Amino acid sequence: MTDLALSLVCGFPAPLFSLLATIGYPIWRFRQLRHLPAAPAPRRTSEPIQV
């Protein structure tokens, strides 16, 4: 949406904000997920599988 407004003001397409979002969002998401605790590993039982 900001790109559209910027292109109307400048008079030519300027995909600057789309480029920033394409590069910035994955970096932001990675940093957010990095701080989450890891999921616990599934518990294993010592009983053999019965066939």
Side-chain angles (χ1 to χ4, degrees):
M1 187 57 111
T2 307
D3 284 337
L4 180 60
L6 186 63
S7 67
L8 290 174
V9 171
C10 294
F12 57 89
L16 175 65
F17 292 103
S18 295
L19 179 64
L20 289 175
T22 302
I23 293 171
Y25 179 75
I27 294 170
W28 175 81
R29 183 74 175 144
F30 172 76
R31 289 183 177 182
Q32 294 296 319
L33 292 177
R34 184 174 53 178
H35 296 295
L36 292 178
R43 295 184 64 180
R44 294 183 174 224
T45 60
S46 59
E47 300 173 7
I49 298 175
Q50 299 292 327
V51 180

